[in-house]
Amino acid sequence: MALIVQKYGGTSVGSLERIQAVADRVIRTRRTGHDVVVVVSAMSGETDRLLDLARGLSGRPIERELDVLLSTGEQVTIALLSIALQEKGQDAVSFTGAQVRILTDSAFNKARILDIDGAQVRKALTEGKVVVVAGFQGIDGEGNITTLGRGGSDTTAVAMAAALKADECSIYTDVDGVYTADPRIVPEASRLDRISYEEMLEMASLGSKVLQIRSVEFAGKYHVPLRVLSSFKDGPGTLITDEDEAMEQALIAGIAHNRDEAKLTIVGVPDRPGIAHSILGPIADANIEVDMIVQNVGADKTTDLTFTVHRNDYDKAHDILQRTAKEMGAKGVNGDKRIVKLSIIGVGMRSHAGIASRMFKALANEGINIQMISTSEIKISVVVDEKYLELGVRALHSAFGLDKGTGKNG
Ligand code: ASP
Ligand code: MG
């Protein structure tokens, strides 16, 4: 008999019919002899609705009160699901984050879990109950209600699984797994059976918004096997787990893209020690995160420095950079919002040579110009003109044998 934590997101509990369908699924798992702890999100749209209410009263609602308000969304679903389970003959009990004593720090709206006292949950399980826990919320040392940041129910589920030493944490969502690329762009993309925590983290941070990033970090740290599956259709989903040999043998797990970045260049800066700091220091001071950075010295002993930021930060970064350029006597500032970042991701990169050149060749064959390149141990990213998004992702997907029926996923 195993202990399974199942997490259902907002769309999966978006109506009474769907809550009943979740109850049926939970009961099916329970009937196979497993203990089940269920973590639920608020019904879809509910957290946004609550946020709007607060914003109707204040441009900057007090963070503590916002958490008191937002946590009610999940409290509704735990009660409804427990009612549905009991109505169907399955004994069940609901707990809020505070009742489970999911202890967090006091960073309202973005709290981090410090500790979980699972005693009450364990006791209910031994009594044969299904335990339904509110996602996204906890309690700090002073007894204040906290929330974990948008999408935080994923993290609650993984943390519960870690605390209870569950055999698996299943995340039920509206997609049936993690794909080798966005299937809306690459029809030949296929569902991955398995992927490592590290690869999933790269995929998640690059815009495959299947899971909250922090939940993947948590799962990796505590070695919680995490499975992403559809709550609407049956299937094995994708298992996110420790790296294994098969993953190392594969060249690439997937192709990710990100259209949220913009590029800025400061041109003709005198080349001397300290310039990178003088340029990027004020950007960092403004709390703007920089992703890729490229610097190169030209024949005239001046240098150009190019970097990318989130598109939302572009205007602010552009202003700061223009001021810096004036101060430093640089020739000017250029910017481009119409870029996209394409990345290939895979732990197989560690043990295979020639991956980068294969990537560049595939893009060259399509006449796609590469503007920036960055590499890490398990990822190579390039910045290209956004008009090449589809073409580029498809070219890379097929160059690495990921198209259905041709590669390891076929
Ligand atoms: N209800 C919260 C949100 O909408 C948490 C979650 O769904 O995971 O962000
Ligand atoms: Mg979610």
Side-chain angles (χ1 to χ4, degrees):
M1 174 154 131
L3 170 58
I4 311 284
V5 174
Q6 297 187 338
K7 183 259 170 178
Y8 294 91
T11 17
S12 309
V13 293
S15 66
L16 292 184
E17 292 71 44
R18 287 190 174 173
I19 288 175
Q20 283 174 321
V22 167
D24 290 334
R25 189 180 284 283
V26 170
I27 290 170
R28 279 207 298 280
T29 311
R30 179 84 192 110
R31 297 246 161 95
T32 57
H34 301 314
D35 276 337
V36 188
V37 172
V38 190
V39 174
V40 284
S41 295
M43 296 170 81
S44 58
E46 180 61 9
T47 308
D48 288 328
R49 189 186 71 84
L50 294 167
L51 254 179
D52 284 347
L53 286 177
R55 288 190 181 136
L57 295 171
S58 162
R60 281 195 61 199
I62 312 257
E63 289 169 342
R64 180 191 183 278
E65 304 311 329
L66 209 50
D67 280 354
V68 174
L69 178 70
L70 295 188
S71 65
T72 62
E74 273 70 13
Q75 189 166 338
V76 170
T77 24
I78 55 170
L80 292 177
L81 180 56
S82 301
I83 291 169
L85 284 163
Q86 306 213 39
E87 190 63 24
K88 290 175 188 289
Q90 171 60 54
D91 204 3
V93 60
S94 69
F95 292 125
T96 64
Q99 286 172 317
V100 179
R101 267 174 286 158
I102 298 180
L103 184 72
T104 71
D105 60 21
S106 302
F108 296 115
N109 311 167
K110 48 176 186 301
R112 288 184 167 261
I113 296 176
L114 302 174
D115 189 38
I116 294 183
D117 170 6
Q120 210 171 349
V121 174
R122 280 196 202 91
K123 179 163 173 285
L125 288 173
T126 56
E127 292 163 1
K129 292 177 181 141
V130 164
V131 177
V132 185
V133 176
F136 178 56
Q137 56 180 260
I139 190 169
D140 75 0
E142 269 86 67
N144 298 301
I145 293 175
T146 55
T147 66
L148 308 179
R150 296 309 300 270
S153 299
D154 292 344
T155 301
T156 304
V158 173
M160 286 299 307
L164 299 167
K165 301 200 167 49
D167 297 273
E168 187 174 296
C169 180
S170 316
I171 308 275
Y172 288 90
T173 175
D174 41 14
V175 294
D176 68 347
V178 180
Y179 276 70
T180 51
D182 184 340
R184 286 167 301 187
I185 292 181
V186 188
E188 295 82 11
S190 50
R191 185 185 49 77
L192 290 158
D193 286 327
R194 299 162 77 88
I195 183 173
S196 70
Y197 297 116
E198 249 188 300
E199 290 167 327
M200 186 62 214
L201 271 180
E202 294 287 6
M203 301 279 244
S205 65
L206 289 165
S208 334
K209 295 183 184 79
V210 188
L211 285 172
Q212 199 200 29
I213 291 177
R214 218 199 294 164
S215 72
V216 183
E217 285 168 3
F218 218 106
K221 190 164 163 200
Y222 295 100
H223 305 279
V224 176
L226 192 60
R227 193 182 292 277
V228 174
L229 1 78
S230 163
S231 50
F232 304 112
K233 94 181 199 231
D234 286 329
T238 298
L239 183 65
I240 305 157
T241 177
D242 284 310
E243 210 172 303
D244 66 19
E245 230 171 89
M247 295 175 192
E248 281 158 35
Q249 269 158 21
L251 280 181
I252 293 301
I255 316 293
H257 66 273
N258 181 348
R259 12 174 166 222
D260 295 334
E261 289 189 26
K263 184 178 84 164
L264 288 153
T265 303
I266 179 164
V267 187
V269 184
D271 184 35
R272 55 167 190 263
I275 57 129
H277 177 251
S278 323
I279 295 167
L280 296 172
I283 301 282
D285 291 342
N287 260 325
I288 297 174
E289 230 176 281
V290 170
D291 182 30
M292 293 165 95
I293 305 172
V294 172
Q295 194 206 335
N296 222 330
V297 180
D300 65 349
K301 286 282 169 357
T302 69
T303 175
D304 298 348
L305 189 129
T306 304
F307 58 93
T308 61
V309 296
H310 195 282
R311 254 183 225 199
N312 295 341
D313 290 327
Y314 175 82
D315 292 332
K316 204 159 123 198
H318 195 271
D319 288 350
I320 294 171
L321 205 55
Q322 235 153 5
R323 254 176 279 143
T324 309
K326 218 178 254 162
E327 279 163 28
M328 299 179 90
K331 285 191 198 116
V333 172
N334 297 327
D336 189 355
K337 284 195 192 182
R338 301 205 335 261
I339 58 158
V340 63
K341 184 165 86 174
L342 310 181
S343 305
I344 60 175
I345 294 157
V347 292
M349 250 181 238
R350 295 202 191 105
S351 45
H352 291 83
I355 306 257
S357 75
R358 200 198 285 201
M359 178 183 199
F360 304 152
K361 182 167 171 233
L363 296 172
N365 285 346
E366 300 294 342
I368 300 174
N369 184 41
I370 300 172
Q371 304 177 10
M372 297 173 84
I373 302 169
S374 81
T375 64
S376 76
E377 219 193 343
I378 65 159
K379 179 185 74 175
I380 304 172
S381 303
V382 298
V383 166
V384 303
D385 189 312
E386 81 178 355
K387 72 178 180 223
Y388 294 126
L389 168 62
E390 275 90 7
L391 183 61
V393 173
R394 283 187 201 131
L396 294 174
H397 199 265
S398 86
F400 286 97
L402 296 173
D403 288 353
K404 238 178 243 165
T406 57
K408 59 160 184 127
N409 302 299

